[in-house]
Amino acid sequence: MNVLVISDVHANWTALQAVLQHAAGQYDQIVCCGDLVGYNASPGEVVDWTKANCAAAIRGNHDKAVSNGEGLEWFNDVAKRAAIWTNRALSREQLEYLQQLQQGPLALEHFHIWHGSPRNEDEYITSSREAAECFSYFDLPLAFFGHTHIQGGFFRTRGKVGLIPPPKRKEQERVLELEPDVLYLVNPGSVGQPRDGDPRAAYAIFDSEQRSVTFNRVSYLIDHTARDIVGAGLPDVLALRLFQGF
Ligand code: ZN
């Protein structure tokens, strides 16, 4: 079975469409590691799409803050303004869907998913040291997480933790072969607001038979998303950062 793994779509409908077009025919089901909304201007479309199309989705910190205000105190001013805008833009039904999303970790057939860390969806895993503490939280050899918006991740073998790099700027994809007796913590990257210096939308495909994860990057019309952000009255900086990938 092939699984399309996405995370941090953040209401970027144009980027999500590009990912789905690029990944078409390559997967049997879709799994989402949270942060459906926040920052960009198409939250309703992304919520409805997730509800209709994802086999599993968990709650991200933005989904939580937008739907019930929880954790909003940790947000910077721009993220807070976007969260309040998003809350007003969504219907009651869409907000209820966000509210009922369960907090990770969630164990699926072949892997676990969570948003930030296995302890807390607001916590970032950015270094090998932070990753090292997480490996004891799961019993399957693979977990997918999000929140950092940085594609790649970490692996552990014989007590040592190493880094999994994302595809280079000139590459469209990078294949990670999963080896026995190695544990993997994989971030598919962010669909809607990459922060690893590569503005292309990011996603991953897990192949349970080949035991591999393929990291992908796809260009999309950032202009469209930027125009919608400005048109909606959201802070301009949210549009500008998409062009940089930070
Ligand atoms: Zn996020």
Side-chain angles (χ1 to χ4, degrees):
M1 187 176 66
N2 284 7
V3 184
L4 167 60
V5 187
I6 56 171
S7 190
D8 299 278
V9 179
H10 282 297
N12 190 338
W13 182 243
T14 307
L16 178 60
Q17 292 307 305
V19 163
L20 295 173
Q21 208 166 42
H22 195 249
Q26 296 182 63
Y27 61 89
D28 306 298
Q29 59 168 232
I30 310 172
V31 159
C32 172
C33 299
D35 273 3
L36 283 53
V37 300
Y39 296 129
N40 300 306
S42 305
E45 289 90 331
V46 172
V47 169
D48 290 346
W49 175 88
T50 305
K51 196 174 170 181
N53 293 285
C54 287
I58 45 146
R59 180 178 85 170
N61 58 315
H62 283 256
D63 306 322
K64 185 174 66 172
V66 162
S67 60
N68 61 20
E70 214 185 308
L72 201 60
E73 68 273 20
W74 302 108
F75 280 33
N76 64 39
D77 185 49
V78 167
K80 198 182 281 179
R81 280 170 62 193
I84 292 163
W85 179 91
T86 303
N87 177 279
R88 290 179 186 148
L90 291 175
S91 68
R92 190 143 62 130
E93 202 185 349
Q94 289 162 338
L95 287 169
E96 277 168 9
Y97 175 74
L98 292 180
Q99 263 158 15
Q100 61 76 48
L101 285 174
Q102 65 171 303
Q103 185 181 356
L106 176 66
L108 301 174
E109 191 184 349
H110 299 283
F111 51 80
H112 299 264
I113 55 172
W114 65 72
H115 185 65
S117 87
R119 290 181 295 259
N120 188 333
E121 60 227 309
D122 291 275
E123 212 169 79
Y124 290 92
I125 308 174
T126 53
S127 67
S128 301
R129 191 175 51 78
E130 286 160 355
E133 293 165 17
C134 299
F135 285 103
S136 57
Y137 281 84
F138 58 105
D139 48 11
L140 295 167
L142 176 64
F144 287 97
F145 69 104
H147 195 42
T148 62
H149 300 205
I150 294 171
Q151 195 176 38
F154 305 90
F155 65 93
R156 190 180 80 178
T157 180
R158 295 188 200 93
K160 285 200 177 125
V161 177
L163 205 66
I164 302 167
K168 294 196 173 79
R169 288 294 289 271
K170 57 180 188 298
E171 297 171 331
Q172 274 211 340
E173 62 168 50
R174 177 181 284 248
V175 181
L176 170 71
E177 309 281 356
L178 303 178
E179 289 169 34
D181 303 321
V182 180
L183 297 175
Y184 294 92
L185 266 178
V186 173
N187 192 323
S190 170
V191 172
Q193 193 197 75
R195 291 179 196 160
D196 46 14
D198 184 342
R200 294 175 299 174
Y203 70 94
I205 302 245
F206 166 69
D207 183 330
S208 65
E209 273 137 50
Q210 300 289 321
R211 300 292 305 161
S212 69
V213 172
T214 305
F215 296 104
N216 285 275
R217 297 306 278 245
V218 56
S219 300
Y220 71 96
L221 293 169
I222 298 177
D223 281 343
H224 278 199
T225 303
R227 193 192 54 207
D228 291 347
I229 288 168
V230 174
L234 285 159
D236 288 358
V237 65
L238 291 173
L240 295 173
R241 69 185 298 174
L242 294 176
F243 294 95
Q244 260 97 49
F246 282 112

